[in-house]
Amino acid sequence: MRLNLILFFVLIIFALALVNVEHQYRNHYSKWDIENKLTIDLKDEKTKLQIEESDKSGNDRVNELAQKKLNMSLPDSKNQRTLK
Amino acid sequence: MFNKAKSSSKFFELSKFRRRFVLLILLTLFTSLISRSFYLQGMQTDFLQKKGQATSNRTEILHAYRGKILDRNNEILAISAPRETIWANPPEVVMNLSQKKELSRLLKLRLDHLDQRLGNKNKQYVYLKRRASPELASKIMALKIPGIRTEKNYDRFYPEREITAHVVGFTNIDGKGQEGIERQANNLLSGVPGYKKVLKDNIGRIVDDLQEVKIPIDGQDIKLSIDKRLQYSAYKALQKSVEKHNALSGSAVLIDAKSGEILSAVNYPSFNPNGGSKPTQKIRNKIFTDIFEPGSTIKPITVSAALESKKFKPTSIIDTEKGFYRVGSRLTVRDTHANGVITLSEVVQKSSNVGTTIISEKLDSKYLWSTLNMFGLGSKTGVEFPGETSGIVHHFKKWRKTEHATISYGYGLSTNLLQLAQAYTVFANDGELVPVTLIKKEDPTIGRRVLTKKTSQTMLEIMESVVSSEGTAPLAKVPGYRVAGKTGTARKIINGSYENKYIGSFVGIAPVSDPRFVFAVMIDEPSNDGYYGGVVAGPVFSKVMADALKLYSIPQDGFLNEKEEIIIADSNQ
C-alpha cells in the first residue's frame, strides 16, 4: 500500500516535470523564433547598408565627384613630369 | 418485509430473452467499432496520415543566405538583397473598384490583365509580381485586400554591374548560378536551407509552431583575387580603345606575377547582370573561353627556346634578307618591311617573322613543341572558371615544315588570353611558370621551372627593347617604369581562310627590375585608326599598368628623358 502511494507521488512529480519542461521548451522556442526573425531583419538591414555603401563608393561616382565638385583632372603633357 | 423485497427485485429482473438481446446489441456495436477502428488504424493509416498532414502540418523553408562574392579588398561584387514576391489566392480575393485601380497602378498592370490573372478561381497561387521591392510590397499590403499576400525571397545584386559581370557571372531567378564564379562555386555559395514545421489552418495561416526545426546553414563568402579598382581602370581603358578603333570587342587580363592571382579580367562590350534578360552574345568571358592565333606574342617563347638550346646568343646575327623567306614550296614568310641583317634581340624588337622562322629552323620540332607545352600552351590553366578552353598545339609529329615555321611566329596554334598572360609569368618570375587563380591566396605560390634564370632575364632585356622608340610598342611605355613586352598582330581566319581582319594584342611585364605584374590585352577586329597591337593594345597596357603600379606603390625603376615623357603624355590622352 505504502509502495503504491510512493509510486503514485513519483508519477505525479514526473507528470508535473514533463509539463514544466514542455512549457519551458515552448518558451525557449518562442524566444528563438523572435530572435531569429530579428536576426533576419538585421541581416537584411546590413545588406541594404552594404549595398548603399558600395553604391556610394562606386568608381563612377567617385570620378564624377572628383571632376565636377573638386575640379580634378588628369594633368596635360605640359604639366606632367617624372620625378628623378 | 423480506417477501416484499424479493418481489421488488423480481420486478426489475429482465427475462432471459431480453438480457441476451441487449447483450447481442452491445456486442454488435462494439464489434463494428473495433472493426472500424482496425480498418482506419491498420489498413488506411498511410493514406489518412498523409491527408491529415497535408491539410494541417506544413514545412516552412528557412532561407539560407547565399554567400557574398568579394574582391580582394572586401569590396562587394555580388550580394543577396531581400525582395518580395506578391501573389494572390484568386478564390479569396475580394476588392472594390478603387482598391483594384490602386493595385493595378502599384503593380503597373492593366486592369484587364489583372482581372485575367485573378479570374482563374481554380488556382490557389497566382504570381502578381516577382522581385518587387519591400517598399512596394508594404504599399500593396496596406490596401488590406483579402487573398493577396507577399513572400520574402532574395535576389542577387551586382553593384559593379558591367565591370565585373564576366568574372562574377549571375544567377537565375531561383538563385542558382548560371555563369562565372556564381556557377563555378554554386554549391559553396548556396548553403543548406533549414525548415520548421508549423500548423496551418485551411486558408494557409500559421496557427501554431510544431517546434520541430532545422537551422539553415548560410552559404560561404568567396573572396576573389580581383581588385575592383584595377578592374574599373582596365574596363575604362579597354572601352576607350575599342570605341576609338571601332573594334568588335576587347579583352584584358592582369596577373600578379609573384602569386599568380588574377587582379583584373575584363571584356568589352559587357552586360548588366542585374535584372532579367541578358544579351547571350555578350555573356561569354572571352579571356577564358575564346581561343585565337596569338601571332607575334609567341615569338619570345620561340626565341627563349633558341637561347636555352645554346645554339643562339642575343647577339647572334640573322639575315632576314629582303623581308621575305621561302619555306618549302608552299610558304613565303614575310615581314612588314625588310630588316636586313639583324641580331636575335632585334628579331624580337622588330617582330621579324623571317628572323623567327630562320631561328626555328635550327630547332628540333619536338624541342619547340615541348617548350610551348612547358609554357602552358595547349593545356588548361586550371583557373576556377567554368568553360575554360585548353587551346590547340598540335603534336609535333603532325607538323610539316610549314607548320614548324608558322608556329614559331604564332600561327597554326591557338590559345586563350589567360594562357598567353600565364606564359609570360615565366619571364617575370625568373623562369618559373606560376599557377593562376581567381581566388585570393594567402599561401606562397610554388612555380614550375621552365627556363633558367639567365635566359629569363635576357628575354626581359630583349623585350624591353620592344617598348622603345625603335620597337613596335612605344605607346606601351609607363612613365617612371621599365617595361618589357611583345606586340602581336594576327590575321583572323574566317570560314577557313585568312581575311584582312586582325587581332591586335600586347602582353607586357612591369617593372623590369623586379617584375610584379603581367598584363595581356587583345583588341578584336580594330577597323579605324590602325590595327597593329602596339597601336590598339599598347595604350591600354600603359594606362592600366600605370594605375596598377601606383595603386600597389611599386617603386619606380626607370627614368625617361623629357622627349619621351611628352610622347607618353600625349599617347595617354
Side-chain angles (χ1 to χ4, degrees), chain B residues 326-493:
Chain B
R326 198 98 179 124
V327 178
S329 57
R330 294 176 59 198
L331 177 70
T332 305
V333 181
R334 293 179 191 280
D335 283 338
T336 50
H337 57 274
N339 290 307
V341 178
I342 53 176
T343 63
L344 181 130
S345 299
E346 286 171 322
V347 167
V348 179
Q349 186 192 42
K350 297 182 186 307
S351 196
S352 168
N353 293 339
V354 173
T356 316
T357 305
I358 293 167
I359 293 166
S360 74
E361 283 184 339
K362 300 279 189 294
L363 303 174
D364 182 37
S365 291
K366 187 180 177 184
Y367 177 68
L368 186 57
W369 175 79
S370 65
T371 304
L372 291 168
N373 281 303
M374 290 280 276
F375 273 82
L377 303 178
S379 53
K380 290 182 182 180
T381 61
V383 71
E384 308 83 355
F385 199 86
E388 192 205 358
T389 48
S390 60
I392 301 166
V393 180
H394 292 298
H395 195 270
F396 70 92
K397 283 183 179 169
K398 291 181 183 171
W399 292 6
R400 289 169 297 175
K401 210 174 176 183
T402 48
E403 273 84 40
H404 184 100
T406 58
I407 282 171
S408 73
Y409 57 85
Y411 284 86
L413 79 166
S414 59
T415 167
N416 64 41
L417 195 66
L418 182 67
Q419 284 176 315
L420 200 58
Q422 189 194 24
Y424 274 62
T425 63
V426 173
F427 305 123
N429 231 5
D430 287 338
E432 284 188 6
L433 182 90
V434 293
V436 288
T437 179
L438 265 170
I439 308 296
K440 192 180 180 199
K441 287 179 81 171
E442 305 295 343
D443 307 325
T445 305
I446 301 165
R448 173 166 56 80
R449 183 150 296 284
V450 177
L451 298 176
T452 60
K453 191 175 175 180
K454 190 185 168 195
T455 307
S456 161
Q457 285 177 347
T458 308
M459 283 310 301
L460 270 184
E461 284 166 22
I462 293 173
M463 286 195 289
E464 197 177 353
S465 67
V466 174
V467 192
S468 69
S469 307
E470 292 78 39
T472 53
L475 297 180
K477 283 179 187 173
V478 179
Y481 292 93
R482 290 169 61 198
V483 172
K486 183 70 192 80
T487 54
T489 310
R491 286 175 75 180
K492 284 179 77 174
I493 298 179

Side-chain angles (χ1 to χ4, degrees), chain A residues 21-27 29-30 32-33 36-37 39-64 74-84, chain B residues 62 65 68 75-76 79-82 134-135 152 154 157 159-161 163 196-198 208-213 215-216 218 228-229 232 236 479-480 543 556 558-562 565-566 568-570 572-573:
Chain A
V21 166
E22 283 274 337
H23 173 71
Q24 281 189 7
Y25 177 75
R26 210 174 174 77
N27 262 350
Y29 180 84
S30 168
W32 172 83
D33 204 34
N36 189 43
K37 278 174 186 157
T39 308
I40 291 170
D41 287 346
L42 287 172
K43 274 186 181 174
D44 290 348
E45 193 60 31
K46 186 185 168 195
T47 302
K48 283 182 192 171
L49 290 170
Q50 281 178 319
I51 291 171
E52 197 179 328
E53 187 205 3
S54 178
D55 193 44
K56 297 272 183 204
S57 65
N59 289 304
D60 276 328
R61 186 171 176 273
V62 171
N63 257 359
E64 198 180 311
L74 285 170
D76 57 19
S77 58
K78 286 174 190 168
N79 295 317
Q80 195 167 338
R81 287 287 179 274
T82 303
L83 295 175
K84 297 180 183 180
Chain B
L62 297 177
Y65 280 82
K68 294 189 281 283
E75 295 280 352
I76 291 168
I79 192 167
S80 292
E135 292 73 25
K152 189 194 263 185
Y154 291 83
F157 180 66
E160 296 306 310
R161 296 184 290 275
I163 290 164
K196 68 173 180 180
K197 293 210 166 163
V198 292
D208 197 9
D209 275 320
L210 294 175
Q211 300 170 21
E212 189 181 332
V213 63
I215 310 284
D218 290 344
K228 188 179 103 170
R229 300 164 300 176
Y232 178 80
K236 287 291 169 187
K543 171 75 178 75
Q556 295 191 349
F559 305 104
L560 305 168
N561 61 43
E562 209 149 289
E565 274 177 46
I566 290 165
I568 293 157
D570 285 338
N572 281 343
Q573 281 172 15

Side-chain angles (χ1 to χ4, degrees), chain A residues 43, chain B residues 61-69 80 156 171 174-177 181-195 214-222:
Chain A
K43 274 186 181 174
Chain B
I61 300 294
L62 297 177
H63 173 77
Y65 280 82
R66 190 173 174 87
K68 294 189 281 283
I69 300 178
S80 292
R156 216 56 173 157
T171 60
D174 299 316
K176 194 176 172 195
I181 293 294
E182 290 276 29
R183 181 175 173 174
Q184 179 76 15
N186 189 53
N187 290 341
L188 209 63
L189 289 163
S190 297
V192 184
Y195 65 81
K214 186 188 168 214
I215 310 284
I217 302 165
D218 290 344
Q220 291 180 37
D221 292 349
I222 290 181

Side-chain angles (χ1 to χ4, degrees), chain B residues 264-277:
Chain B
S264 164
V266 290
N267 293 280
Y268 183 84
S270 186
F271 63 97
N272 187 351
N274 297 308
S277 62

Side-chain angles (χ1 to χ4, degrees), chain B residues 245-249 292-295 410-411 488-505 522-528 530-533 536:
Chain B
H245 299 285
N246 193 24
L248 271 188
S249 66
F292 63 103
E293 286 186 309
Y411 284 86
T489 310
R491 286 175 75 180
K492 284 179 77 174
I493 298 179
I494 297 170
N495 298 328
S497 63
Y498 286 103
E499 301 278 332
N500 281 334
K501 288 177 177 172
Y502 298 88
I503 291 177
S505 57
M522 63 163 275
I523 306 289
D524 190 9
E525 281 191 33
S527 57
N528 185 28
Y531 58 85
Y532 286 110
V536 296

